[in-house]
Amino acid sequence: MCGWSVMRAEPGRSPVSRGRRSLLKHGGALALLAACGLVEARRAYARDGVAMFDATTMREVLARLGGEPAADGKVVLVIDEVIENGGMVPVSVECRLDAVEEILLIVEGNPAPVAVRFGIPAGTEPFVSTRLKLAQSGRVHAVARANGRLHVASRDTQVTVGACS
Amino acid sequence: MTDPIRIRARSKGDLTEVLVLMPHPMETGLRKDAAGALVEAHFITDVRVTTGGRTVLDARMSIAVSQDPLLGFRFRGGRPGDRISVTWTDNKGETRTDETVIA
């Protein structure tokens, strides 16, 4: 189930992280959950991707993506590891993939993890850069969908002063 | 009314490099003002960049995009002199469109 490092928390980091890790241990149940949500999520998603933004947990994000992203090195996510000001964090994503349809940036430590979704039309390079708010330290993920397959790159961040604090 | 969108678009061979800065408060609705009252959410939700009648980028944003959102991207097929247009819409239904010419 877990090529996606979202569910792989570092040992002893926080109760939340441990919770996520136990989720990983129960990967079978999670897979079932994802499968159940798949059809509905795809349907909702097909409209314009808006449903993604309602997700408040990583589990919901995963279900709404409608699949399991592969951490296969095809996506390159550039973000500082140590961030003093969480209010304005430069982020860029580049994909070594053809036919990328969309790129999502997901911030695990934010109340609503899905930060932004880019639709990439044919003729546009699978590259985007922007600036995000990070509420606290945690993982940031860039997910790309290409030819119906999901790919991901993840980075850990340490935020000194979070956005909104 | 918000300030104009700043757009820089440069042609480099077949590629056009675009940098867009959209002045906007991007209020999360979670922040408190000096008096301790929550500041109402006010943020851009949708951005569309077009040239010659085709969309070259669209973005759906949440409150997690920083104040004065910045977008950088590249597309093929643009030529110097082509017009490029950026439109944003926010959660209050306000909208703004600005354009420039590819250099």
Side-chain angles (χ1 to χ4, degrees), chain A residues 141-162:
Chain A
H141 310 273
V143 174
R145 191 188 303 267
N147 291 315
R149 297 177 64 94
L150 294 163
H151 308 264
V152 66
S154 308
R155 290 277 173 274
D156 282 314
T157 62
Q158 297 294 324
V159 179
T160 311
V161 180

PDB file of all heavy atoms in Angstrom, chain A residues 141-162:
ATOM      1  N   HIS A 141       4.211  17.457   0.038  1.00  0.00           N
ATOM      2  CA  HIS A 141       4.204  16.527  -1.086  1.00  0.00           C
ATOM      3  C   HIS A 141       3.821  17.244  -2.370  1.00  0.00           C
ATOM      4  O   HIS A 141       2.960  18.125  -2.363  1.00  0.00           O
ATOM      5  CB  HIS A 141       3.172  15.414  -0.878  1.00  0.00           C
ATOM      6  CG  HIS A 141       3.271  14.743   0.449  1.00  0.00           C
ATOM      7  ND1 HIS A 141       4.102  13.680   0.682  1.00  0.00           N
ATOM      8  CD2 HIS A 141       2.649  14.997   1.621  1.00  0.00           C
ATOM      9  CE1 HIS A 141       3.977  13.298   1.949  1.00  0.00           C
ATOM     10  NE2 HIS A 141       3.112  14.088   2.539  1.00  0.00           N
ATOM     11  N   ALA A 142       4.459  16.823  -3.465  1.00  0.00           N
ATOM     12  CA  ALA A 142       4.028  17.260  -4.792  1.00  0.00           C
ATOM     13  C   ALA A 142       3.545  16.011  -5.511  1.00  0.00           C
ATOM     14  O   ALA A 142       4.291  15.048  -5.655  1.00  0.00           O
ATOM     15  CB  ALA A 142       5.196  17.890  -5.540  1.00  0.00           C
ATOM     16  N   VAL A 143       2.291  16.037  -5.931  1.00  0.00           N
ATOM     17  CA  VAL A 143       1.699  14.890  -6.624  1.00  0.00           C
ATOM     18  C   VAL A 143       1.421  15.285  -8.064  1.00  0.00           C
ATOM     19  O   VAL A 143       0.851  16.352  -8.320  1.00  0.00           O
ATOM     20  CB  VAL A 143       0.386  14.436  -5.953  1.00  0.00           C
ATOM     21  CG1 VAL A 143      -0.299  13.350  -6.773  1.00  0.00           C
ATOM     22  CG2 VAL A 143       0.653  13.938  -4.544  1.00  0.00           C
ATOM     23  N   ALA A 144       1.846  14.447  -8.999  1.00  0.00           N
ATOM     24  CA  ALA A 144       1.554  14.695 -10.410  1.00  0.00           C
ATOM     25  C   ALA A 144       0.741  13.535 -10.958  1.00  0.00           C
ATOM     26  O   ALA A 144       1.006  12.384 -10.631  1.00  0.00           O
ATOM     27  CB  ALA A 144       2.848  14.851 -11.203  1.00  0.00           C
ATOM     28  N   ARG A 145      -0.256  13.857 -11.766  1.00  0.00           N
ATOM     29  CA  ARG A 145      -1.037  12.826 -12.441  1.00  0.00           C
ATOM     30  C   ARG A 145      -0.692  12.879 -13.923  1.00  0.00           C
ATOM     31  O   ARG A 145      -0.805  13.930 -14.554  1.00  0.00           O
ATOM     32  CB  ARG A 145      -2.540  13.066 -12.242  1.00  0.00           C
ATOM     33  CG  ARG A 145      -3.425  11.891 -12.691  1.00  0.00           C
ATOM     34  CD  ARG A 145      -4.906  12.243 -12.667  1.00  0.00           C
ATOM     35  NE  ARG A 145      -5.361  12.687 -11.371  1.00  0.00           N
ATOM     36  CZ  ARG A 145      -5.906  11.871 -10.437  1.00  0.00           C
ATOM     37  NH1 ARG A 145      -6.057  10.606 -10.677  1.00  0.00           N
ATOM     38  NH2 ARG A 145      -6.301  12.378  -9.279  1.00  0.00           N
ATOM     39  N   ALA A 146      -0.226  11.755 -14.455  1.00  0.00           N
ATOM     40  CA  ALA A 146       0.146  11.685 -15.867  1.00  0.00           C
ATOM     41  C   ALA A 146      -0.311  10.346 -16.417  1.00  0.00           C
ATOM     42  O   ALA A 146      -0.034   9.310 -15.815  1.00  0.00           O
ATOM     43  CB  ALA A 146       1.666  11.817 -16.033  1.00  0.00           C
ATOM     44  N   ASN A 147      -1.006  10.367 -17.536  1.00  0.00           N
ATOM     45  CA  ASN A 147      -1.549   9.140 -18.128  1.00  0.00           C
ATOM     46  C   ASN A 147      -2.328   8.333 -17.102  1.00  0.00           C
ATOM     47  O   ASN A 147      -2.240   7.099 -17.073  1.00  0.00           O
ATOM     48  CB  ASN A 147      -0.419   8.289 -18.726  1.00  0.00           C
ATOM     49  CG  ASN A 147       0.184   8.940 -19.957  1.00  0.00           C
ATOM     50  OD1 ASN A 147      -0.547   9.421 -20.821  1.00  0.00           O
ATOM     51  ND2 ASN A 147       1.499   8.994 -20.016  1.00  0.00           N
ATOM     52  N   GLY A 148      -3.044   9.034 -16.250  1.00  0.00           N
ATOM     53  CA  GLY A 148      -3.879   8.365 -15.260  1.00  0.00           C
ATOM     54  C   GLY A 148      -3.118   7.783 -14.082  1.00  0.00           C
ATOM     55  O   GLY A 148      -3.708   7.167 -13.202  1.00  0.00           O
ATOM     56  N   ARG A 149      -1.810   7.961 -14.037  1.00  0.00           N
ATOM     57  CA  ARG A 149      -1.021   7.424 -12.924  1.00  0.00           C
ATOM     58  C   ARG A 149      -0.542   8.558 -12.033  1.00  0.00           C
ATOM     59  O   ARG A 149      -0.282   9.662 -12.505  1.00  0.00           O
ATOM     60  CB  ARG A 149       0.182   6.642 -13.456  1.00  0.00           C
ATOM     61  CG  ARG A 149      -0.218   5.427 -14.271  1.00  0.00           C
ATOM     62  CD  ARG A 149       1.019   4.738 -14.828  1.00  0.00           C
ATOM     63  NE  ARG A 149       1.859   4.216 -13.742  1.00  0.00           N
ATOM     64  CZ  ARG A 149       1.768   2.961 -13.286  1.00  0.00           C
ATOM     65  NH1 ARG A 149       0.900   2.128 -13.811  1.00  0.00           N
ATOM     66  NH2 ARG A 149       2.552   2.543 -12.317  1.00  0.00           N
ATOM     67  N   LEU A 150      -0.418   8.252 -10.750  1.00  0.00           N
ATOM     68  CA  LEU A 150      -0.013   9.264  -9.772  1.00  0.00           C
ATOM     69  C   LEU A 150       1.430   9.060  -9.347  1.00  0.00           C
ATOM     70  O   LEU A 150       1.865   7.943  -9.091  1.00  0.00           O
ATOM     71  CB  LEU A 150      -0.919   9.181  -8.544  1.00  0.00           C
ATOM     72  CG  LEU A 150      -2.390   9.544  -8.770  1.00  0.00           C
ATOM     73  CD1 LEU A 150      -3.251   9.033  -7.623  1.00  0.00           C
ATOM     74  CD2 LEU A 150      -2.554  11.044  -8.929  1.00  0.00           C
ATOM     75  N   HIS A 151       2.149  10.164  -9.279  1.00  0.00           N
ATOM     76  CA  HIS A 151       3.549  10.147  -8.873  1.00  0.00           C
ATOM     77  C   HIS A 151       3.719  11.196  -7.773  1.00  0.00           C
ATOM     78  O   HIS A 151       3.030  12.208  -7.779  1.00  0.00           O
ATOM     79  CB  HIS A 151       4.457  10.476 -10.051  1.00  0.00           C
ATOM     80  CG  HIS A 151       4.199   9.627 -11.259  1.00  0.00           C
ATOM     81  ND1 HIS A 151       4.932   8.500 -11.539  1.00  0.00           N
ATOM     82  CD2 HIS A 151       3.267   9.735 -12.236  1.00  0.00           C
ATOM     83  CE1 HIS A 151       4.469   7.943 -12.659  1.00  0.00           C
ATOM     84  NE2 HIS A 151       3.461   8.671 -13.103  1.00  0.00           N
ATOM     85  N   VAL A 152       4.664  10.971  -6.875  1.00  0.00           N
ATOM     86  CA  VAL A 152       4.814  11.905  -5.765  1.00  0.00           C
ATOM     87  C   VAL A 152       6.279  12.116  -5.393  1.00  0.00           C
ATOM     88  O   VAL A 152       7.120  11.223  -5.557  1.00  0.00           O
ATOM     89  CB  VAL A 152       4.022  11.418  -4.521  1.00  0.00           C
ATOM     90  CG1 VAL A 152       4.607  10.129  -3.970  1.00  0.00           C
ATOM     91  CG2 VAL A 152       3.956  12.481  -3.445  1.00  0.00           C
ATOM     92  N   ALA A 153       6.570  13.306  -4.918  1.00  0.00           N
ATOM     93  CA  ALA A 153       7.848  13.608  -4.264  1.00  0.00           C
ATOM     94  C   ALA A 153       7.505  14.243  -2.933  1.00  0.00           C
ATOM     95  O   ALA A 153       6.549  15.002  -2.832  1.00  0.00           O
ATOM     96  CB  ALA A 153       8.672  14.560  -5.117  1.00  0.00           C
ATOM     97  N   SER A 154       8.269  13.924  -1.883  1.00  0.00           N
ATOM     98  CA  SER A 154       7.965  14.421  -0.545  1.00  0.00           C
ATOM     99  C   SER A 154       9.220  14.982   0.108  1.00  0.00           C
ATOM    100  O   SER A 154      10.314  14.468  -0.100  1.00  0.00           O
ATOM    101  CB  SER A 154       7.410  13.285   0.314  1.00  0.00           C
ATOM    102  OG  SER A 154       6.345  12.642  -0.340  1.00  0.00           O
ATOM    103  N   ARG A 155       9.021  16.021   0.892  1.00  0.00           N
ATOM    104  CA  ARG A 155      10.141  16.627   1.632  1.00  0.00           C
ATOM    105  C   ARG A 155       9.694  16.943   3.045  1.00  0.00           C
ATOM    106  O   ARG A 155       8.572  17.431   3.264  1.00  0.00           O
ATOM    107  CB  ARG A 155      10.573  17.938   0.963  1.00  0.00           C
ATOM    108  CG  ARG A 155      11.248  17.790  -0.378  1.00  0.00           C
ATOM    109  CD  ARG A 155      12.729  17.481  -0.247  1.00  0.00           C
ATOM    110  NE  ARG A 155      13.330  17.180  -1.521  1.00  0.00           N
ATOM    111  CZ  ARG A 155      13.358  15.969  -2.108  1.00  0.00           C
ATOM    112  NH1 ARG A 155      12.786  14.943  -1.512  1.00  0.00           N
ATOM    113  NH2 ARG A 155      13.918  15.794  -3.273  1.00  0.00           N
ATOM    114  N   ASP A 156      10.588  16.735   3.988  1.00  0.00           N
ATOM    115  CA  ASP A 156      10.324  17.149   5.377  1.00  0.00           C
ATOM    116  C   ASP A 156      10.706  18.607   5.538  1.00  0.00           C
ATOM    117  O   ASP A 156      11.673  19.069   4.937  1.00  0.00           O
ATOM    118  CB  ASP A 156      11.155  16.309   6.336  1.00  0.00           C
ATOM    119  CG  ASP A 156      10.548  14.933   6.544  1.00  0.00           C
ATOM    120  OD1 ASP A 156       9.325  14.869   6.745  1.00  0.00           O
ATOM    121  OD2 ASP A 156      11.285  13.948   6.481  1.00  0.00           O
ATOM    122  N   THR A 157       9.954  19.317   6.353  1.00  0.00           N
ATOM    123  CA  THR A 157      10.302  20.703   6.636  1.00  0.00           C
ATOM    124  C   THR A 157      10.291  20.952   8.145  1.00  0.00           C
ATOM    125  O   THR A 157       9.553  20.302   8.884  1.00  0.00           O
ATOM    126  CB  THR A 157       9.296  21.682   5.988  1.00  0.00           C
ATOM    127  OG1 THR A 157       7.994  21.459   6.555  1.00  0.00           O
ATOM    128  CG2 THR A 157       9.229  21.533   4.498  1.00  0.00           C
ATOM    129  N   GLN A 158      11.136  21.869   8.574  1.00  0.00           N
ATOM    130  CA  GLN A 158      11.150  22.341   9.965  1.00  0.00           C
ATOM    131  C   GLN A 158      10.801  23.815   9.911  1.00  0.00           C
ATOM    132  O   GLN A 158      11.564  24.618   9.375  1.00  0.00           O
ATOM    133  CB  GLN A 158      12.559  22.168  10.559  1.00  0.00           C
ATOM    134  CG  GLN A 158      13.023  20.727  10.648  1.00  0.00           C
ATOM    135  CD  GLN A 158      12.201  19.917  11.630  1.00  0.00           C
ATOM    136  OE1 GLN A 158      11.783  20.413  12.658  1.00  0.00           O
ATOM    137  NE2 GLN A 158      11.956  18.655  11.291  1.00  0.00           N
ATOM    138  N   VAL A 159       9.650  24.161  10.451  1.00  0.00           N
ATOM    139  CA  VAL A 159       9.179  25.541  10.386  1.00  0.00           C
ATOM    140  C   VAL A 159       9.377  26.224  11.732  1.00  0.00           C
ATOM    141  O   VAL A 159       8.894  25.738  12.753  1.00  0.00           O
ATOM    142  CB  VAL A 159       7.692  25.585   9.965  1.00  0.00           C
ATOM    143  CG1 VAL A 159       7.183  27.020   9.926  1.00  0.00           C
ATOM    144  CG2 VAL A 159       7.500  24.898   8.622  1.00  0.00           C
ATOM    145  N   THR A 160      10.093  27.323  11.737  1.00  0.00           N
ATOM    146  CA  THR A 160      10.357  28.057  12.983  1.00  0.00           C
ATOM    147  C   THR A 160       9.128  28.837  13.418  1.00  0.00           C
ATOM    148  O   THR A 160       8.641  28.682  14.527  1.00  0.00           O
ATOM    149  CB  THR A 160      11.551  29.018  12.803  1.00  0.00           C
ATOM    150  OG1 THR A 160      12.634  28.292  12.199  1.00  0.00           O
ATOM    151  CG2 THR A 160      11.999  29.589  14.136  1.00  0.00           C
ATOM    152  N   VAL A 161       8.637  29.687  12.523  1.00  0.00           N
ATOM    153  CA  VAL A 161       7.431  30.466  12.827  1.00  0.00           C
ATOM    154  C   VAL A 161       6.390  30.136  11.771  1.00  0.00           C
ATOM    155  O   VAL A 161       6.575  30.439  10.595  1.00  0.00           O
ATOM    156  CB  VAL A 161       7.721  31.986  12.816  1.00  0.00           C
ATOM    157  CG1 VAL A 161       6.450  32.764  13.134  1.00  0.00           C
ATOM    158  CG2 VAL A 161       8.818  32.326  13.812  1.00  0.00           C
ATOM    159  N   GLY A 162       5.314  29.467  12.188  1.00  0.00           N
ATOM    160  CA  GLY A 162       4.302  29.035  11.239  1.00  0.00           C
ATOM    161  C   GLY A 162       3.446  30.172  10.751  1.00  0.00           C
ATOM    162  O   GLY A 162       3.349  31.223  11.396  1.00  0.00           O
TER     163      GLY A 162
END
